[in-house]
Amino acid sequence: MTAKLGAAGARNLFDPLTIAWESLYWPGGDNFQAEGYTDGQVLNSGETIPDESPNGNDATTSQTDLTLTYAASSNVNGKPAVRGASIASGDHPSYANTLATGLTSYSVVVVWYQNTILQSFSQIVHDVFDSAVFSLIIAQDGRLGIGANSASNYTAAGTIVSGNTYGFRINFTPTQATAHLDDSEIFDSVATMATLNGVKMFIRNLTSWPFSGDLAFLGVFDGDVAAETEWPSFAQWVSSQFGATI
C-alpha cells in the first residue's frame, strides 16, 4: 500500500479514495506506483497513467517523445508527480481518457507546481474532445485561464508565479461555473454547460502549449465535490501531503 504521510512525517490515515472520484490521476497512488516507473523515467506510448478510482478510466497516449517524466520526489512537497519539460516538439504525449458516460454536473480538482513557462501558454488539462467545453491553462505572464463552454475568464497577470504549488477546483452545473484557487473564489459565471467527455492532459493539439511543472493530483468528480461530507478531511490531506490549500 502507498504510505500516506503528513508534512511532519506522521501517518495521515485519510484515504482520498473515500471520495468517489469518477477518475483520479495521482502519481502517489497505489495503481500508479504499481506501474513500477523509476525516477526520471520518460512517459511515452504504452506507458499508462492509471486511474486510481475503481472506474478504470486510465489515461493513455499514442505519442513518443522525451518531454514528460516521472518525478519520484517532485517539487510538490517532495511527493510523486508527472513532470512536464515545458517544450513542445513533434508528438508531445497528451494523456487522455474518454468516459463511458459524459458528465453535465461535475468538479475538477488539480494540484500542481508551476515551473517557468517557455512558450506562450502552459496547458494543464482540457476536455478530451473540445477544449472549449473545459480548459485550465496558464499564460506566460501568469494569468490563469479557465474555459467553461459559453463563459471563460483569465485572472490578472501574475496570479500564477513559477516556483509555487497551487490547488485548484472548479464546479460545473448545467447553468453555472464556479472556480477556486487556493480556496479563494476566482470565477463565478452563468454559463450554458456542455458535457465533459473525459480529459486530456499536458498539451494542446499535440504540438503546442506544453505543460510546465509537476502535476501531483487531478481528480474528476460527478457532482459538487466540495459538498461531500469528506471534503474537509480531504482538504486537510491535500495540505499535509502537498503543502497546498484546496
Side-chain angles (χ1 to χ4, degrees):
M1 296 292 290
T2 302
K4 301 177 177 67
L5 301 178
R11 184 168 177 80
N12 184 334
L13 296 179
F14 180 76
D15 182 354
L17 285 170
T18 303
I19 292 175
W21 302 98
E22 186 71 22
S23 56
L24 172 58
Y25 307 106
W26 170 34
D30 291 341
N31 292 348
F32 189 102
Q33 291 297 306
E35 296 288 321
Y37 297 143
T38 58
D39 186 34
Q41 181 173 338
V42 174
L43 299 184
N44 272 322
S45 178
E47 293 164 335
T48 298
I49 298 178
D51 184 6
E52 300 295 326
S53 87
N55 298 318
N57 294 316
D58 294 349
T60 58
T61 184
S62 59
Q63 282 78 46
T64 299
D65 202 83
L66 299 174
T67 54
L68 289 178
T69 56
Y70 167 58
S73 179
S74 77
N75 292 308
V76 183
N77 205 29
K79 297 301 186 288
V82 174
R83 175 168 293 165
S86 314
I87 300 170
S89 59
D91 291 324
H92 183 294
S94 56
Y95 275 83
N97 78 64
T98 301
L99 300 175
T101 302
L103 305 178
T104 54
S105 295
Y106 61 94
S107 302
V108 180
V109 174
V110 185
V111 178
W112 84 99
Y113 169 88
Q114 185 60 50
N115 204 350
T116 301
I117 298 174
L118 301 180
Q119 298 190 351
S120 299
F121 296 92
S122 171
Q123 176 74 66
I124 299 178
V125 59
H126 60 82
D127 178 78
V128 65
F129 294 143
D130 185 356
S131 60
V133 171
F134 165 62
S135 177
L136 181 63
I137 194 168
I138 303 159
Q140 197 169 35
D141 63 4
R143 291 173 296 148
L144 181 69
I146 302 164
N149 201 32
S150 65
S152 62
N153 182 69
Y154 270 101
T155 62
T159 299
I160 302 298
V161 179
S162 62
N164 292 321
T165 294
Y166 294 94
F168 172 86
R169 59 183 167 94
I170 189 166
N171 180 58
F172 292 88
T173 73
T175 59
Q176 195 82 12
T178 306
H180 291 75
L181 180 70
D182 295 339
D183 203 26
S184 294
E185 185 176 294
I186 58 171
F187 178 63
D188 187 26
S189 179
V190 174
T192 302
M193 290 298 125
T195 299
L196 182 76
N197 294 292
V199 295
K200 180 178 284 189
M201 300 175 280
F202 306 125
I203 194 74
R204 179 76 66 91
N205 299 327
L206 302 185
T207 59
S208 62
W209 304 346
F211 175 62
S212 176
D214 294 352
L215 182 68
F217 191 97
L218 194 156
V220 177
F221 182 81
D222 186 1
D224 182 1
V225 68
E228 289 293 288
T229 301
E230 295 295 335
W231 178 259
S233 296
F234 171 74
Q236 291 178 1
W237 177 83
V238 167
S239 177
S240 66
Q241 281 285 295
F242 304 129
T245 303
I246 198 69

